[in-house]
Amino acid sequence: MSAASNDQVVIFDTTLRDGEQSPGASMTLEEKLQVAELLDTMGVDIIEAGFPIASNGDFEAVSEIARRSKNAVIAGLARAISADIDRAGEAVRNAERGRIHTFVSTSPIHLQHQMNKTEDEVLEIIQRTVAQARNLIDDVEWSAMDATRTPIEYLSRCVEAAIAAGATTINLPDTVGYAVPQEYREMFEQIRANVPNSDKAVFSVHCHNDLGLAVANSLAGVAGGARQIECTINGLGERAGNAALEEIVMAVRTRNDILPYASKVDPVYLTRASKLVSAVSSFPVQYNKAIVGKNAFAHESGIHQDGMLKNAETYEIMRPEDVGVRATSLVMGKHSGRHAFKDKLVELGYDLGDNAFQEAFRRFKELADRKKNVYDEDIEALVEDEITIQGETVKVIALTVIAGTGGPQKAILTMDIDGRHETREATGDGPVDATFNAIKAIWPHEATLQLYQVNAVTEGTDAQAEVSVRLEDSGKIATGKGADTDTLVASARAYVSALNKLAIRSQRIVNVDDAIAS
Ligand code: KIV
Ligand code: ZN
């Protein structure tokens, strides 16, 4: 990517890489494709689609996103290791515009304890690996992992070496979320002033939120001269997460008087993106989350409501419709046909493939038969559940549960495993336990249940239940979600979804944290 014009900030979304790396947030290929498509549509400049060396699944996801993407640059992450760089280059080869993003740690603490390398050895690694990447592709980003805990003199030498070797973007991450805004801004100012070839690259911010400062730090870095912001939808990411894309985009738009920058992201997609990422990662969005939380535009207190009725600007700095919040509407009833359902999906921002559409429509009819009023939220929960199911190799087909005071409760379950149907019965200490035991009988596993949570999608006793399940197996964590008017069916789906994700996670042979260079 050529250097950004002076007031244009490039939005680099890493939901599918740094976000997906957070424990429990694994996504299937189908889910990643959905997220990437939406990011591309909403105007994100660069999509970091994954870490291709990590597993065949990660490689496949990056290659497929690269092949499909229409507008965005597609980046693949690589450690400072020759095999990683070749694999990332191969994964983004079919993109209209691809990028290799390679990184190495530069801080004394990482050099000494993680890598066991000297400063000069790391400088040599930077020159060699950036040059290798640049031989494969014109667009190369280099990141100094733990930049904010690296002495500025050594960081300057690393940046100069990376640019000289061909890096076109230089990212200086606050990997451990330690910086405060003023020092992060000064780091960019000093590096840009001290490094002789700094005008040959775009500088990038990448902030983690351990102290709740990720967005503030990112904006401070931009004030210091950075013109690329790395962020994730809902701030998804390891530990406390990354800077939230929606907060960055809306801060820049709302306070353009003192943040005089422009981004290409269309904010009307922000709510939709937040819901999709929450659904596929199974990470709920906190109610009071800025921009996309359920309460972000709710005015409860009398004095606020009074002001709002007189003039919305008394208490509202952004309009809900600007970020894609729609008034809740009653959708359709059981007489609504395929056409009306398709129109509704378009209005809600979904574009389902044929199989997923047929299945979603069948479930909508079933839901309309069972539930008096079907709302947008019902359709969203159902469709997102269906998107998840479409990407899974093991699925719930049928469930009958015998519950009540008599005990022991019994579940009879049929599952589809790669096209083969298997049925088993199991008893348990309650209907949920019986259901999970039946799953275990069909799909034996060692995973333990860490969280089981039920939420109602809308109000009323006929509401759909949205169930979240978190499983842990040998330190690997995966979360699954399921939705249905029957809480036990939703529970079974959520559990099986988490198992599918655990299977993806255990195929991963390399973690970004193993940042040891060759
Ligand atoms: O936080 C970090 O340092 C990273 C790098 C891989 C860019 O995610
Ligand atoms: Zn990171």
Side-chain angles (χ1 to χ4, degrees), residues 17-18 77 101 103 143 145-146 171 173 175 206 208 512:
R17 199 280 297 169
D18 216 335
L77 186 71
H101 175 195
F103 71 97
S143 287
M145 197 181 216
D146 207 16
N171 181 35
T175 304
H206 177 115
H208 283 267
V512 178

Side-chain angles (χ1 to χ4, degrees), residues 275-289:
K275 285 186 178 170
L276 179 62
V277 168
S278 169
V280 300
S281 65
S282 306
F283 272 45
V285 176
Q286 79 193 52
Y287 280 9
N288 59 341
K289 163 86 178 61

Side-chain angles (χ1 to χ4, degrees), residues 281-471:
S281 65
S282 306
F283 272 45
V285 176
Q286 79 193 52
Y287 280 9
N288 59 341
K289 163 86 178 61
I291 318 295
V292 291
K294 208 176 173 133
N295 290 354
F297 295 94
H299 297 271
E300 197 70 38
S301 86
I303 186 158
H304 283 212
Q305 285 180 352
D306 180 57
M308 286 290 295
L309 288 173
K310 288 176 177 142
N311 181 341
E313 279 181 25
T314 48
Y315 287 100
E316 212 160 62
I317 58 165
M318 300 165 274
R319 290 179 312 163
E321 56 270 32
D322 293 344
V323 299
V325 176
R326 287 164 290 103
T328 301
S329 67
L330 187 63
V331 191
M332 305 164 282
K334 56 182 171 190
H335 301 299
S336 310
R338 239 166 250 275
H339 237 78
F341 185 64
K342 188 149 222 158
D343 287 350
K344 190 59 174 180
L345 292 191
V346 172
E347 186 195 320
L348 295 175
Y350 296 106
D351 178 16
L352 299 186
D354 202 41
N355 281 352
F357 175 77
Q358 298 305 346
E359 210 25 47
F361 181 66
R362 187 192 60 73
R363 286 180 62 182
F364 159 70
K365 291 300 260 188
E366 234 176 62
L367 184 67
D369 268 342
R370 280 197 251 171
K371 192 171 184 295
K372 205 165 83 204
N373 298 322
V374 179
Y375 296 93
D376 285 355
E377 288 92 329
D378 287 311
I379 301 275
E380 283 168 348
L382 181 157
V383 168
E384 272 150 21
D385 194 45
E386 202 46 51
I387 291 170
T388 303
I389 292 172
Q390 292 290 319
E392 291 176 344
T393 44
V394 181
K395 304 177 207 276
V396 173
I397 299 294
L399 175 68
T400 305
V401 180
I402 301 162
T405 49
Q409 286 71 21
K410 186 159 101 178
I412 304 144
L413 175 72
T414 304
M415 298 207 316
D416 180 313
I417 304 177
D418 267 336
R420 183 172 43 86
H421 282 199
E422 289 235 15
T423 303
R424 292 274 197 291
E425 268 183 38
T427 53
D429 196 6
V432 176
D433 193 43
T435 303
F436 291 176
N437 286 341
I439 295 172
K440 202 165 188 175
I442 298 178
W443 187 351
H445 57 269
E446 297 300 320
T448 53
L449 183 67
Q450 284 202 330
L451 173 126
Y452 171 75
Q453 191 175 296
V454 184
N455 284 319
V457 174
T458 55
E459 282 159 19
T461 49
D462 62 353
Q464 289 190 89
E466 198 164 51
V467 177
S468 300
V469 162
R470 192 188 309 140
L471 298 178

